[in-house]
Structures are given as C-alpha cells and as structure tokens.
Amino acid sequence: MRFALLITCVLVACGEDSGSAPVDATPEATIDANIDAADAQLTCEGRCAEPACAGAAECEETSASACSDGVDNDADGTIDCSDLDCRMADDDLCGAENAAQRCTDGLDNDANGFIDCADNSCRALSVCHEASDAACADRLDNDVDGSTDCEDADCAGFAACGTRVRVVAANLTSEGQNYDAGHGLRILEGLDADVVLMQELNFRDSGADAMAELSAQICGAKCAIYRGGGNLIPNGVVSRFPILANGDWDDAETDTREFSWARLDVPGERELWVVSVHWLSSDAGRRENQARALSERILADVPAADYLVVGGDFNVAGGPSFTQLGRVVNTRPRPTDQDGNRNTNGPRSRVLDAVFANNAFERLEVPVHIGASAFRDGLVVDTRVYTPLEDLAPARRTDSDADGMQHMAVIRDFVVP
C-alpha cells in the first residue's frame, strides 16, 4: 500500500494527468511578459564586469554619449576615446584631431595624450591660431604657445590689440608711366593698405576727380590723397588716416618729381610722417646727393619723437646713398615673396623698392597677415607666385606680369598702441 501511495503522490506532484487540474495553468505568453518586465527593472550600470552583463547596451563604448561621459562603460580598463571601441565607432567622435569641432571640444579625441590645439593634428586649423580679431580677444591660448591674446606676438597687427598701419611702397604703373590700365590699382586694392607711398602717380587727367577715384579704389571713399609736384612722374601718398599736412621737399637732382611727404594723424600722441621717394635710376653720385638732401630735410623738419617712414623706388639696394639715409631710418634687409625672392623690379632681378622706418616706428613692426598666412618680415607681392591669390582679390594672376609693369609692391605692417 505504501508503494502505491508514493507513486500516486509523485504523479500528482509532477503534474501528470490524474483527473484533476494542473498546479500552474498560467499561459506561456503571460509568463514571458512577466520575465520581460522583471528584466526591464534590471540594469548593468556599474556591473559591466559581470559576465551576465556582457553585450548590454549600457556596457558598450559605441555612442557619442558613452564615449564622452568619463566612465569606463565596458569595464575594460580604458575610458572614452582611450577605448579602441570608441575610436572605431561609426560616429567618428574619437577620430583624428582634424576638424574645428574636435579641436575645441576639450577631449583627447585620438587618445594620443594631447588635447585640442596641443595636438599637432590641430595646429594647421585656424581655430588653433592667434590669427583673427576674435581669436585675439577670446582669452584663450589658441596656439598653445604659452601666450594668450595680445600677449602673443601673432596677435600683433589685429585691431583687437591696437591699430594696424600697413605701409606699401608702390611703383606699379603699367603700359606706360600711369595707372590707367588698372593692373597696379587691383593689386593695391587687394592689399588692404592703410598708407601707400606711390611713384609715377598719373591717372587719367590726374585732376582732383581722378585722384579721388584712384584713392577710393585703393582704400575706400574716406581715404585721403596727396599728389606731389614734378612735371612728369610725381610721387604721392594715399592714406586711410587723416592727412594733417603735406608738401614737397625739393629734389635738386631732377625736375620730374620731388620728395613728397605727408603728416598723418594716427592713434596715440605721436604723429606719423611718411615720405614717398623715387631716386634716379643711374649715377650713384647723384643718388647719394638725393639721400643726403632728404636726410637733412627730415632732420630739420620732422620732430625726433614722431614716427617716420621713408619708402618707394630707390633704384638701388645699398651703398653710399643708403649710408646717408641711415641717418634717419633703418635700412635693414627687406622682405621677400613667398618663394624667398627679395628682388622687386619687374623681371625680379634686382632689389629696388623698400619701406624704411625710424627707430620709434620700427619697434612697432608686426607680421603681415593676409588671409591665413603671416609674413614676419613683410612681403614682396608678385601675383604670379602668391598663393592663394583669392586672398588678394580683385588682383589677377597676370597683373604683376602686365606689359611695362614697373616693380612689385612691398608691404610692412606696424601696430600703434
């Protein structure tokens, strides 16, 4: 009897058909739903090292949020972009530091130990340069060189750190000794000059209306212009700053042009004197006489405390005439073009043009910034070699190669505090 009773109990306990209802008759769908509900209440956050959490969404470094949350989500010992999974993610959050967004996000995107502009991959981007008014006033060391904003020499020349004074020497006539053909004027317009020391200043009938049109094309309607004396190829000055006074000092060696000067109202207590010159192309002795006469007039008429620039077409690269001129300005080596060529005449075979400053103004020199490029010692502008030429718009590639083009423009930049 005991044996039969035991068999009966086992059969009932195991749910075998005994003529009565099963112990658990809950439908399978309901069971699955309950299990899913229980699973939904579980999380693997903080438990990613447990085998049961392998593959859980919160334990993967594969999304932008997971790769920037500062957490080792998959518990493999590496965090965010240091994790290979993040660097291979489809969103490319941890790709190379080669875009403006990645170079300013405060992350070591490529996990090489360098963040943003400290990473060499970012250095070529404009966001990592102190090369704009915005960058020079954002209180950041954009190029990671230890200097911030106006403390950085690269910021010199931008309005955020003072007033730029771009001085250009320009004997840019073509197809004759005048500017009618337009090649030189396009170049000057593209240079965004503040002061232009011009030679052979002839344009159309050279009357007041013609001079106003010429200066407006070069630097805007508010620019001032002075066309000096001489019966053939006068010198002159175009200025974005007000001309307080102007005139000519006699050049006894020629009657075709004079030493044309202007006194400019630049910011600060000092005024800027500029002199446009065009020395003779032959006879070194006569050029030395020109230099001596000019230096003596400057010493007599220009206050020692003021700023001074002498620039233009000197028709020589050195010698006794520069020794004389060195009494009033620094005749140091001149700028080059982008290929390192110092020569400034049309065929690019001789150094003839320059912009020279006295000690007071020389100390204010800064790199010439054009587009994204910076030229620390100034620039000789030849449209045939300059790149990208769009930075000099509306200048055209062929302008410096125009028939009869005299010389190349020479630029130096200064910043008046």
Side-chain angles (χ1 to χ4, degrees):
M1 291 295 292
R2 289 182 179 178
F3 180 74
L5 178 61
L6 177 61
I7 292 176
T8 301
C9 291
V10 169
L11 290 174
V12 171
C14 293
E16 295 290 342
D17 187 4
S18 60
S20 61
V23 173
D24 187 358
T26 304
E28 291 185 8
T30 301
I31 295 175
D32 290 343
N34 291 338
I35 293 174
D36 289 343
D39 287 347
Q41 296 174 1
L42 298 177
T43 176
C44 283
E45 184 176 351
R47 301 172 49 235
C48 292
E50 298 179 15
C53 287
E58 58 266 40
C59 294
E60 294 182 354
E61 300 272 11
T62 56
S63 67
S65 59
C67 291
S68 59
D69 59 5
V71 176
D72 180 11
N73 296 284
D74 54 6
D76 64 353
T78 55
I79 296 175
D80 294 346
C81 290
S82 296
D83 193 315
L84 180 61
D85 293 337
C86 280
R87 298 204 297 275
M88 298 180 65
D90 290 339
D91 61 11
D92 199 27
L93 173 77
C94 297
E97 302 267 16
N98 59 4
Q101 182 177 0
R102 293 188 197 127
C103 290
T104 56
D105 59 7
L107 301 175
D108 180 11
N109 298 98
D110 52 9
N112 67 351
F114 299 96
I115 296 174
D116 293 347
C117 293
D119 192 312
N120 285 333
S121 299
C122 288
R123 293 294 178 86
L125 300 179
S126 60
V127 293
C128 292
H129 293 169
E130 300 280 10
S132 68
D133 283 326
C136 291
D138 60 7
R139 300 182 182 181
L140 299 175
D141 179 11
N142 295 283
D143 51 9
V144 197
D145 64 355
S147 300
T148 301
D149 294 346
C150 296
E151 296 175 356
D152 193 317
D154 293 335
C155 279
F158 290 99
C161 299
T163 301
R164 185 201 71 178
V165 182
R166 172 165 293 173
V167 183
V168 178
N171 188 355
L172 300 180
T173 59
S174 60
E175 298 183 10
Q177 291 178 303
N178 59 68
Y179 288 86
D180 293 2
H183 307 105
L185 295 184
R186 281 195 295 269
I187 293 172
L188 291 174
E189 183 179 356
L191 298 185
D192 188 30
D194 299 304
V195 180
V196 184
L197 306 178
M198 301 186 71
Q199 292 75 57
E200 303 184 1
L201 185 47
N202 297 312
F203 182 60
R204 298 181 181 170
D205 65 1
S206 295
D209 290 344
M211 289 297 103
E213 180 181 344
L214 178 143
S215 66
Q217 179 173 345
I218 292 174
C219 69
K222 294 184 178 180
C223 285
I225 185 169
Y226 171 64
R227 181 175 185 262
N231 63 13
L232 184 61
I233 47 174
N235 296 309
V237 176
V238 175
S239 173
R240 200 183 300 275
F241 303 100
I243 295 179
L244 300 175
N246 53 251
D248 293 313
W249 292 319
D250 181 48
D251 183 351
E253 296 298 326
T254 177
D255 61 0
T256 61
R257 63 269 196 186
E258 306 290 358
F259 303 130
S260 298
W261 60 269
R263 180 162 55 90
L264 309 180
D265 185 17
V266 296
E269 297 180 357
R270 299 183 180 187
E271 294 170 353
L272 171 61
W273 293 67
V274 296
V275 187
S276 179
V277 303
H278 189 177
W279 288 354
L280 295 172
S281 59
S282 61
D283 196 328
R286 295 178 67 189
R287 278 198 300 268
E288 185 176 359
N289 290 339
Q290 289 178 303
R292 182 182 295 108
L294 176 58
S295 298
E296 289 174 355
R297 291 305 303 261
I298 289 173
L299 290 170
D301 294 358
V302 177
D306 280 354
Y307 301 131
L308 169 68
V309 167
V310 178
D313 179 1
F314 294 93
N315 270 314
V316 69
S321 58
F322 274 28
T323 300
Q324 288 292 333
L325 191 62
R327 298 160 61 193
V328 292
V329 291
N330 295 308
T331 57
R332 67 178 182 81
R334 268 81 70 199
T336 69
D337 65 15
Q338 285 178 308
D339 291 342
N341 187 346
R342 294 185 183 278
N343 297 320
T344 65
N345 64 338
R348 305 303 307 280
S349 60
R350 299 177 64 194
V351 180
L352 303 180
D353 306 80
V355 173
F356 296 135
N358 66 352
N359 289 331
F361 206 52
E362 184 96 0
R363 286 192 289 269
L364 305 179
E365 184 176 18
V366 297
V368 171
H369 291 277
I370 298 178
S373 302
F375 307 95
R376 194 162 296 276
D377 296 316
L379 180 67
V380 174
V381 180
D382 185 337
T383 61
R384 295 167 292 191
V385 302
Y386 189 91
T387 56
L389 190 61
E390 302 83 66
D391 288 348
L392 302 182
R396 302 171 185 171
R397 184 70 64 189
T398 55
D399 282 342
S400 292
D401 199 36
D403 182 36
M405 173 58 69
Q406 290 289 322
H407 296 174
M408 305 295 108
V410 177
I411 310 175
R412 289 179 69 186
D413 277 6
F414 308 83
V415 166
V416 178

